[in-house]
Amino acid sequence: MATDARTTGEAAAPPSTTPEEAGAVEAPDERAVMREAWLTLSVVSLASIFSGMSGSALNVALPTVVRHFDASATAASWMLLAFMLANTVLMIFFGRLADMFGRRSMYLMGLATFTLASFLCGLAPNAWTVVALRVLQAAGAAMLLTNSAALVTAAFPRARLGQGMGIYLASFSVAQLLGPTVGGVLAEHAGWRWVFWFNVPVGLLCLAWGAWALPRVARSGQRQGIDIPGNLLVLVALGSGLAALSQATTLGWTSWVVIGGLVVFVLGMPTFVLFERRVTHPLVDMTLFRDRPFALGLLASFLNSTSQAGVLLLFSLYFQAVQGVDPLTAGLRVLPLAVATLIFSSSSGLFQRWISPRALAVVGNLCTGAGLSVLAWSVITEAGYVAIAAGLVLAGAGSGLFMPSNTTALMGAMPHERLGIANAMRLMLQQSGFVVGTAVVLSVLTAPLAPELRQYAFAGTLSDVSADGLADLLRGYQWTLFTMLTLNAATVLTSLAALRASRRTGGAVTPLAGPTAGR
């Protein structure tokens, strides 16, 4: 396979050289190609595990960090939301920069940025400094996430790409599996700073390994424009909406801050859509939404992320704030979620031999709904751990089935020249779902609590402070799980609509036209 084919989006033959001539001159030995591919995969997978563990570790260790700083409920929630929002907004922006300056350089810069931010987080003097540094961490993570799949795709021959991509995607499940335990151990025995500092030696190792193992490739020379106004519109609109949601339970829905934030969101998003339809190099390619199965699949991805965003965080807090266990025990108790996700995600390809990806996505959503129902019943009846673990397994299995199946359905029928922007849009909406879902979960969860008790819920010490507050928190858990179930029902209906639309079109992609088509 020719080098230019292997490094699509990264390298190209010189203008004066035809593809055939380039292939004749530079046909690498297959063994050398695979050696380079496995080296690239080792870098990407290791970095994905290390960066992914950071977020799941903080979910479990959040009460320890909150207690150290005596942080407010707002600061505690924004330690999570700031990362998600910045990561979501910056992904496509850094994807454009990678096209201009090279994926290898951008990937290594992402590793360096994430590692430096992790070190600085451990030195933070107060909670809001942690929030600011989490934004820097998110920038590094965005550089990694937008380039990881592209590096794997460029490195592997098409016949072996499924194998490489499967291992790469499994690395995120490994991160989710290890993160809660690592977070619990560090918070319990090493202190809150090491929840961030454990990233530093691993990050330096990844950086050194990546500098040696990632191949140097020539850039294509193409210069796509950067949609700075589009990025700013998304940041202002989505950020305002999230800020309003996070403050609604503290200030009340009639507060001018909450109303103003929601107004900016409601006006800003349609403005963004209108702007993107006219700009030469849009942040989001609106012509792709003309394909009905693709558009419904994207909506299902967003709704699924929204409905599942808070499961790990909810029950990490539940075990600490309601049952009064230590962070390590809480981390161990949420492991069934990650184990089930890893097993069923890895098995998704096997299931797709007998059932179509879109149908399997529906099955995954139904499985998630069953898990959320069991979790809601467990909270209402104050059932034991076995019932909660069963709910976590079902929710994890649903996530493991839905994510790879829906991604396969979205990307499988897409023309090759549209894969990059389609994948970027999928990632952006998926991450947006996690952001919105986390904001909704945190707001609904603490709504029944008196404002002065909310910080104790995030600190995991509410059971020691107020019996009445604990009862209110349990009511908040019920409200939150019913909200997640409602969102899950919407996801099931959307996935069914995508399945029916796909069957009507026979899996074909609607021809795309317009100023950005075929770009």
Side-chain angles (χ1 to χ4, degrees):
M1 183 171 294
T3 301
D4 60 328
R6 241 182 0 97
T7 56
T8 301
E10 288 282 333
S16 59
T17 307
T18 66
E20 293 78 7
E21 290 170 340
V25 174
E26 299 183 7
D29 178 74
E30 183 178 354
R31 183 175 298 178
V33 169
M34 289 309 302
R35 177 180 179 275
E36 184 178 284
W38 289 117
L39 284 173
T40 298
L41 182 62
S42 69
V43 175
V44 169
S45 297
L46 181 60
S48 297
I49 292 172
F50 128 81
S51 60
M53 282 175 60
S54 178
S56 55
L58 182 59
N59 279 332
V60 172
L62 183 64
T64 302
V65 180
V66 170
R67 286 195 299 270
H68 173 81
F69 290 116
D70 193 24
S72 66
T74 301
S77 63
W78 275 94
M79 287 181 193
L80 304 175
L81 293 175
F83 182 95
M84 294 180 182
L85 175 59
N87 185 254
T88 301
V89 173
L90 292 173
M91 276 194 299
I92 296 182
F93 173 72
F94 282 123
R96 296 290 194 210
L97 289 183
D99 288 336
M100 297 172 65
F101 301 109
R103 297 196 184 281
R104 181 183 185 275
S105 299
M106 191 60 61
Y107 195 81
L108 294 177
M109 187 180 298
L111 280 170
T113 302
F114 191 91
T115 303
L116 175 62
S118 299
F119 175 72
L120 294 176
C121 278
L123 298 175
N126 55 62
W128 286 106
T129 302
V130 173
V131 172
L133 290 170
R134 289 279 288 164
V135 173
L136 182 62
Q137 247 191 345
M143 295 182 211
L144 297 176
L145 187 59
T146 54
N147 290 295
S148 296
L151 286 169
V152 174
T153 301
F156 276 82
R158 289 292 176 185
R160 303 287 294 274
L161 180 58
Q163 182 182 10
M165 196 62 72
I167 295 173
Y168 159 64
L169 291 174
S171 65
F172 292 99
S173 297
V174 173
Q176 189 182 29
L177 181 64
L178 296 177
T181 304
V182 170
V185 169
L186 293 174
E188 182 71 15
H189 298 292
W192 72 272
R193 298 182 192 277
W194 284 98
V195 174
F196 299 105
W197 281 349
F198 88 92
N199 291 316
V200 176
V202 184
L204 292 174
L205 174 64
C206 288
L207 187 59
W209 182 241
W212 180 81
L214 290 178
R216 298 180 181 274
V217 292
R219 298 189 292 273
S220 64
Q222 296 178 349
R223 291 292 183 267
Q224 295 183 338
I226 299 175
D227 183 14
I228 294 177
N231 277 279
L232 292 176
L233 279 170
V234 168
L235 178 61
V236 171
L238 190 55
S240 297
L242 287 171
L245 286 172
S246 70
Q247 293 298 300
T249 54
T250 301
L251 302 177
W253 289 98
T254 58
S255 166
W256 69 268
V257 174
V258 175
I259 295 174
L262 292 176
V263 168
V264 171
F265 173 76
V266 170
L267 296 178
M269 293 311 295
T271 302
F272 169 76
V273 171
L274 292 173
F275 178 81
E276 292 297 287
R277 295 179 66 179
R278 290 166 172 78
V279 70
T280 304
H281 299 289
L283 181 70
V284 174
D285 189 349
M286 294 298 171
T287 61
L288 287 174
F289 289 102
R290 297 176 186 174
D291 178 53
R292 185 174 174 81
F294 180 80
L296 288 169
L298 282 182
L299 179 58
S301 180
F302 172 81
L303 290 171
N304 177 266
S305 300
T306 305
S307 67
Q308 288 198 327
V311 175
L312 176 62
L313 174 62
L314 270 179
F315 283 89
S316 296
L317 283 174
Y318 181 84
F319 293 130
Q320 296 177 72
V322 177
Q323 298 188 347
V325 306
D326 58 78
L328 174 57
T329 303
L332 292 173
R333 288 187 179 183
V334 296
L335 280 182
L337 178 71
V339 172
T341 302
L342 176 61
I343 292 173
F344 282 88
S345 178
S346 303
S347 305
S348 175
L350 179 64
F351 293 137
Q352 289 179 37
R353 295 181 182 179
W354 298 287
I355 183 171
S356 73
R358 292 193 187 278
L360 191 58
V362 175
V363 173
N365 283 323
L366 291 171
C367 191
T368 296
L372 292 173
S373 299
V374 172
L375 291 172
W377 174 82
S378 301
V379 170
I380 293 171
T381 61
E382 298 186 36
Y385 175 68
V386 173
I388 294 175
L392 292 174
V393 167
L394 285 169
S399 178
L401 290 174
F402 175 82
M403 286 293 187
S405 302
N406 192 60
T407 301
T408 299
L410 285 172
M411 308 304 292
M414 196 58 48
H416 178 77
E417 68 274 11
R418 313 290 284 182
L419 284 175
I421 188 63
N423 189 55
M425 291 167 62
R426 179 189 68 83
L427 282 171
M428 185 175 181
L429 283 173
Q430 179 178 299
Q431 290 296 106
S432 296
F434 281 117
V435 176
V436 173
T438 301
V440 170
V441 162
L442 294 176
S443 297
V444 176
L445 177 65
T446 57
L449 283 171
E452 64 271 13
L453 293 178
R454 288 169 187 160
Q455 69 180 91
Y456 297 109
F458 288 111
T461 57
L462 186 62
S463 58
D464 301 326
V465 175
S466 170
D468 291 338
L470 186 59
D472 291 337
L473 181 63
L474 286 170
R475 186 161 64 254
Y477 267 93
Q478 295 171 24
W479 293 359
T480 302
L481 287 165
F482 285 133
T483 300
M484 295 167 73
L485 275 168
T486 302
L487 290 168
N488 173 258
T491 312
V492 172
L493 293 175
T494 304
S495 293
L496 283 170
L499 175 62
R500 288 194 293 268
S502 178
R503 287 174 174 172
R504 281 197 298 268
T505 62
V509 178
T510 302
L512 304 174
T516 59
R519 190 176 64 250

